[in-house]
Amino acid sequence: MSTTSLVELRVLDGANLYFSRAAVKLTLDLTALMDAPAPEAKAFASALGLGSTRPGRIGSGFRQRFAIRVVGHIVRRLARESGIGRIGVRVRPENDVRRVVVAFPWVHEDRAKALGRAIAEVVDAFGRPDEELVEVVTAAGSTVRDEPPGNPPPTLRPKIPVVAITGTNGKTTTSRMIAHIGRAAGLHVGWSSTDGVYVDGELVKYGDYSGPSGAGTVLAHPGLQLAVTETARGGILRRGIGVAWNDVSVVTNISADHLGLGGIDTVDQLAEVKAVVTKITRPRGWCVVNGDDPRTFAMRLGSPAKCWVFSRDADSPSIRTVLDEGGRATTVLDGWITVLSASDDPTPLLKVVDVPMTLAGLSRFNVENALAAASAALGLGLPKSAVVEGLSSFRPGPEHNPGRMNMYSVRDFTVVIDLAHNEAGLEALLEIMNGVRAPGSRLLLALGSPGDRADDMVTAMGEMGARVADRVVIGHKGDYLRGRDPRELEEAFRIGTRSVGVEDVPAFPSELEAAGFLFGEAKDGDVVAVMSLQDRASLDAWLRSEGATVDSPETLKNKVERAQH
C-alpha cells in the first residue's frame, strides 16, 4: 500500500530542534484524520489502544492536538511491536492544521527510516476495520524488526576544543575574531563559515560551510588545535549539528531573518532553532549569550554549561543576574572592554576605541561582536594577552573580514561594502554610513536582497534605506535569486521607498553595476555603500583599479572624528 500521508522523511545526523542527538523527522499530512467525523476519528484512536479521547471539531486546532496525541501513540506502539522498546517522541503542530511534524532519535539509520515509513503506513490505514488496522500495525512492526540496522549516526566527537557560533547577525565576524585570537595565542586554528573553510587564515574550501559539512571539514584537517564553527539556521533544520558537543557556544543576537522557510515563521521559533547550539555545550564549558537580547539571554536556562554574558551596558540586569548565578560577564566599563565576576576585581582588557572593528566605538554591533569574541576566547582558557593582541590587530578590511564593513577611500569619498542581508544588518550599515559622512555630504546606497527573503522584509529594507540615504538604487544578486523574478524584488523594494516619498529607484543587474552608477553620482565627502553578497571580490578588485585604498584604523578614526565636528 502506498503511503499518502508522508510528506517528507528527513534524517538529521546530529543535535537538532527536537533532540540533542541524531533524529528522524517526519512531516505528515493528516487530512483524512483531520476531516473525518468525530466518531470515526475516535474509533481509530480506540482501535490503536489509545484511551479516552476527544477529537474536537473537524479541521480545528483541537482536532490537530488530538491527531498529535494519536501519532505519538502510533510511534510508541510501533517501537514496541518492532522490538525497539522505549523511544523518545516529539510531535509538533504546523501552521497548516492538517500537518504535523514527528521526530524520534535514531541509533541505526536504515531501521529508523523503516520505522518512519511504518508510521505513515499506520496513519494511512485510517478508515479500515479494527481487525485490519491491528494487522497493519503488526505487519509494520515486523517489517521494521526485520530491516537490517544500517549505519550509526555520523556525528563527530571532536578531539580538540570547539567554539560554535550562531545568531542572526555577526556570526561570521565573531567567528573570524575568535579564530584570529586563537592564532594570536599561537594555536593552529580551523574555522568554517558562510564564506568557506579556513585553516590558519588560508581558504581551503570556498562556499557556504555553515552547516555540518563545514564542521566536519575543519575537524578532519590534521594538526589543528582549535575549531571555530559558524552554525546557521538552515544546517540545524536540514541535517542537525554535525558535532556531538562544543566547548563554548556563542549566540550573537536574534532578529527576523529567513522567516517563512523550513517551518520557522516567527522570531521565537527562530530562537528555538538557534538555541540548539547552547544545549550541546559541555557542562564544564561556557554558554556565551547577548544580555541585551532577551531571546538570546533566555538560552542560558537550557544549557548545561555555565553562562558568560556580554552587554554594552555595565549596569544591565542581565549582568547582575549572571554574576549572582556564578557566571561571568564582559562589558564596557569607562570605555574599556572589561571582564566581571562576582569574586574578583574587574579585569580591563583594552579600550573600545583600540579595537579597529568597532570603528572607534561607532559600530555598536561590532562592539557586541568584540565582547562576544573576548568572552569565548577567555572561556576557552586563552590568555588575556592573546585576546588583547587579537582584538587590536583584527581589522575591518578585506584581509581579515571580507565583505563585512569593508571601508575604502577613493578620490574624496568613502565606500562601504557590507553584507547587510536583513533589517538589522542594514540598520548597522546605515549607522556606520552616518558615522563617517563628512558634514554636509550625502549617503548613496545600493540596496539588494537574496530571492528567499519575504516581501515584507524587502519592503522594510527599502523604506529604511530611502528614509536615511539621499540616493538609493537596487543592485541584484543574480546567483542568489533562488528562482525568484528580480522584478518582484524591485517592486517590493519600491513599495518601501515610495512609502517615504522616494520614487526614482533605478535597478541594475548586479551589485557591481549599481556601485558604478553611484560612483558616477558621488561627490567629495559622500559615503557610497553596497549591500554585497555576490560581487564582493569583483567590487574589491574594481575599487582598487579605481585607486581606492582600504581604510586603516587611523583613517577610520579620523573620519569618525571629522563627522562628529
Side-chain angles (χ1 to χ4, degrees):
M1 174 182 175
S2 62
T3 59
T4 56
S5 61
L6 184 58
V7 177
E8 181 187 49
L9 190 159
R10 182 175 289 277
V11 177
L12 306 173
D13 293 335
N16 52 80
L17 182 58
Y18 314 100
F19 293 95
S20 295
R21 54 196 175 110
V24 168
K25 172 195 170 188
L26 306 175
T27 303
L28 297 175
D29 185 330
L30 304 179
T31 297
L33 183 58
M34 290 294 298
D35 291 349
E40 292 182 21
K42 187 177 179 67
F44 180 67
S46 179
L48 289 170
L50 197 57
S52 176
T53 57
R54 290 183 294 176
R57 184 167 47 85
I58 289 174
S60 66
F62 286 100
R63 177 63 67 89
Q64 187 186 40
R65 296 290 169 163
F66 160 81
I68 286 172
R69 188 179 172 199
V70 170
V71 170
H73 179 78
I74 290 172
V75 177
R76 295 183 183 91
R77 178 161 178 182
L78 282 172
R80 291 196 303 270
E81 292 279 349
S82 61
I84 294 173
R86 295 184 64 179
I87 189 171
V89 184
R90 303 281 189 275
V91 189
R92 294 190 172 202
E94 288 213 328
N95 280 346
D96 181 344
V97 295
R98 286 168 175 76
R99 288 193 174 187
V100 300
V101 169
V102 187
F104 54 88
W106 65 275
V107 178
H108 299 99
E109 183 174 358
D110 292 345
R111 187 165 290 166
K113 289 193 289 188
L115 177 57
R117 292 189 294 268
I119 293 164
E121 271 187 52
V122 174
V123 171
D124 289 336
F126 175 78
R128 292 197 187 185
D130 291 358
E131 298 80 6
E132 288 187 25
L133 180 58
V134 172
E135 290 175 3
V136 168
V137 172
T138 302
S142 297
T143 300
V144 174
R145 186 170 55 250
D146 295 340
E147 180 74 26
N151 295 323
T155 314
L156 300 172
R157 304 177 72 80
K159 294 181 174 60
I160 60 174
V162 174
V163 183
I165 300 98
T166 193
T168 303
N169 292 89
K171 295 188 299 295
T172 300
T173 296
T174 303
S175 64
R176 288 168 174 167
M177 280 184 170
I178 295 168
H180 190 76
I181 294 170
R183 296 188 67 205
L187 302 179
H188 292 294
V189 185
W191 66 97
S192 58
S193 71
T194 50
D195 278 345
V197 176
Y198 292 77
V199 172
D200 286 337
E202 298 296 322
L203 179 67
V204 296
K205 279 195 175 183
Y206 176 75
D208 186 349
Y209 281 92
S210 57
S213 60
T217 303
V218 169
L219 290 170
H221 200 279
L224 293 183
Q225 297 165 294
L226 172 64
V228 182
T229 64
E230 181 180 336
T231 308
R233 167 207 62 89
I236 297 173
L237 289 173
R238 288 190 294 269
R239 289 188 55 193
I241 296 177
V243 295
W245 60 73
N246 57 66
D247 297 88
V248 175
S249 55
V250 180
V251 190
T252 57
N253 49 65
I254 303 294
S255 62
D257 195 21
H258 294 290
L259 299 183
L261 301 175
I264 303 303
D265 300 301
T266 69
V267 180
D268 287 330
Q269 290 174 341
L270 181 62
E272 189 180 19
V273 175
K274 304 280 189 182
V276 173
V277 171
T278 68
K279 292 178 179 178
I280 59 169
T281 306
R282 284 180 153 179
R284 65 173 182 267
W286 289 97
C287 170
V288 178
V289 294
N290 186 343
D292 299 329
D293 182 322
R295 292 183 177 90
T296 302
F297 185 55
M299 293 179 189
R300 79 192 194 286
L301 301 174
S303 177
K306 297 166 290 186
C307 180
W308 195 315
V309 68
F310 64 92
S311 170
R312 288 179 288 113
D313 178 9
D315 292 323
S316 169
S318 64
I319 290 180
R320 292 196 293 272
T321 298
V322 168
L323 295 184
D324 287 344
E325 293 171 349
R328 294 182 188 170
T330 309
T331 188
V332 179
L333 194 61
D334 296 334
W336 286 72
I337 292 179
T338 304
V339 176
L340 304 176
S341 70
S343 57
D344 293 310
D345 291 333
T347 304
L349 299 177
L350 75 168
K351 290 182 178 180
V352 171
V353 294
D354 292 333
V355 179
M357 277 304 302
T358 70
L359 309 183
L362 174 67
S363 173
R364 58 189 177 90
F365 284 95
N366 277 328
V367 171
E368 291 179 355
N369 293 338
L371 296 174
S375 304
L378 293 170
L380 280 171
L382 300 185
K384 171 185 168 182
S385 58
V387 176
V388 173
E389 180 185 344
L391 290 181
S392 60
S393 62
F394 188 85
R395 300 194 170 199
E399 178 186 359
H400 288 158
N401 204 27
R404 305 301 196 277
M405 289 299 177
N406 298 163
M407 302 184 72
Y408 303 78
S409 293
V410 54
R411 300 198 287 272
D412 289 312
F413 58 89
T414 297
V415 179
V416 188
I417 306 299
D418 187 68
L419 179 63
H421 61 300
N422 53 32
E423 294 168 71
L426 179 55
E427 178 188 357
L429 174 58
L430 291 168
E431 177 184 55
I432 296 306
M433 293 175 71
N434 260 320
V436 298
R437 71 190 297 177
S441 64
R442 301 175 304 150
L443 306 182
L444 292 76
L445 173 65
L447 295 161
S449 174
D452 59 358
R453 297 306 194 265
D455 283 351
D456 57 352
M457 176 179 285
V458 179
T459 296
M461 289 193 292
E463 177 184 346
M464 186 185 300
R467 188 186 301 278
V468 178
D470 300 282
R471 182 69 161 126
V472 291
V473 302
I474 299 166
H476 285 301
K477 312 172 191 302
D479 292 345
Y480 293 88
L481 291 173
R482 289 155 183 161
R484 193 167 186 185
D485 188 330
R487 291 171 296 185
E488 292 181 13
L489 287 173
E490 291 173 25
E491 180 56 23
F493 273 124
R494 288 175 179 141
I495 290 172
T497 64
R498 286 196 294 267
S499 71
V500 291
V502 178
E503 298 283 348
D504 180 19
V505 184
F508 299 89
S510 70
E511 299 164 353
L512 189 59
E513 290 168 274
F517 176 83
L518 293 179
F519 257 55
E521 295 201 346
K523 299 176 182 178
D524 291 357
D526 287 350
V527 181
V528 176
V530 182
M531 296 170 63
S532 178
L533 174 62
Q534 178 174 315
D535 295 341
R536 184 187 74 207
S538 54
L539 278 166
D540 177 70
W542 177 68
L543 285 167
R544 293 175 190 271
S545 73
E546 291 288 320
T549 56
V550 177
D551 285 350
S552 68
E554 294 74 22
T555 301
L556 288 171
K557 192 172 182 180
N558 289 336
K559 286 183 177 182
V560 172
E561 291 174 348
R562 179 188 64 180
Q564 292 172 346
H565 291 88

